Amino acid sequence: MLLVLDEIATGFGRTGRMFACEHAGIAPDIMCLAKGLGGGFPMGAFAYTQAIRDVLTPGAHGSTFGGNPLACAVGIEVVKLLESGDFQERSETLGAHLHAALSALIGHGVVAVRGRTVKLGFVFPAEVSVLRREIYDRIQEENRAAAGRV
Ligand SMILES: *Cc1c(COP(=O)(O)O)cnc(C)c1O
């Protein structure tokens, strides 16, 4: 059995480490990568262990824009920028500030704040789910209205 991890949103320093799975001491067989890899430039990739290398030979997995030299050059530069660890450290620092600020809402409609660095979420009490649904519906309405204005 293979362990496949999606590090698309969490990879490349966004949780204070190069990859979020490092926090749990997990080493996947396959890792899905994008977003942070391009630092804003659209690109994605997947990385895999040596064992899988024998199955996925060159050309076995492709896509229309796969292997784009510009995207690869951008990805290489992003990885170089992350080598010092400064970005990961900044993620930790900003995350600590954000967590502290958002934690002030605990007891005021929020049960807990959870997550890592700036990737945080609120835990709401169960009775808020009705209100949450109303807020979600209202946002969807606003989005549809805004799309109609474009
Ligand atoms: C954005 C995202 C995806 C999808 O990536 P696309 O490049 O839009 O297909 C998949 N998984 C996670 C966790 C994401 O954040």
Side-chain angles (χ1 to χ4, degrees), residues 46 56-67:
F46 69 93
L56 284 171
T57 53
H61 179 82
S63 70
T64 305
F65 298 110

Side-chain angles (χ1 to χ4, degrees), residues 94-146:
L94 290 175
H97 289 300
L98 185 61
H99 195 285
L102 295 177
S103 292
L105 297 171
I106 294 171
H108 301 281
V110 171
V111 172
V113 176
R114 67 179 185 196
R116 285 187 191 280
T117 61
V118 294
K119 301 189 84 52
L120 300 173
F122 292 121
V123 177
F124 292 107
E127 65 270 15
V128 175
S129 61
V130 173
L131 176 62
R132 199 170 45 213
R133 182 77 216 177
E134 286 171 20
I135 292 169
Y136 175 82
D137 290 345
R138 180 69 192 275
I139 290 169
Q140 292 301 314
E141 261 175 48
E142 292 292 328
N143 284 342
R144 279 192 294 274

Side-chain angles (χ1 to χ4, degrees), residues 21-40:
C21 62
E22 293 174 53
H23 293 285
I26 295 171
D29 300 292
I30 297 175
M31 209 187 273
C32 301
L33 309 167
K35 294 182 179 141
L37 172 59

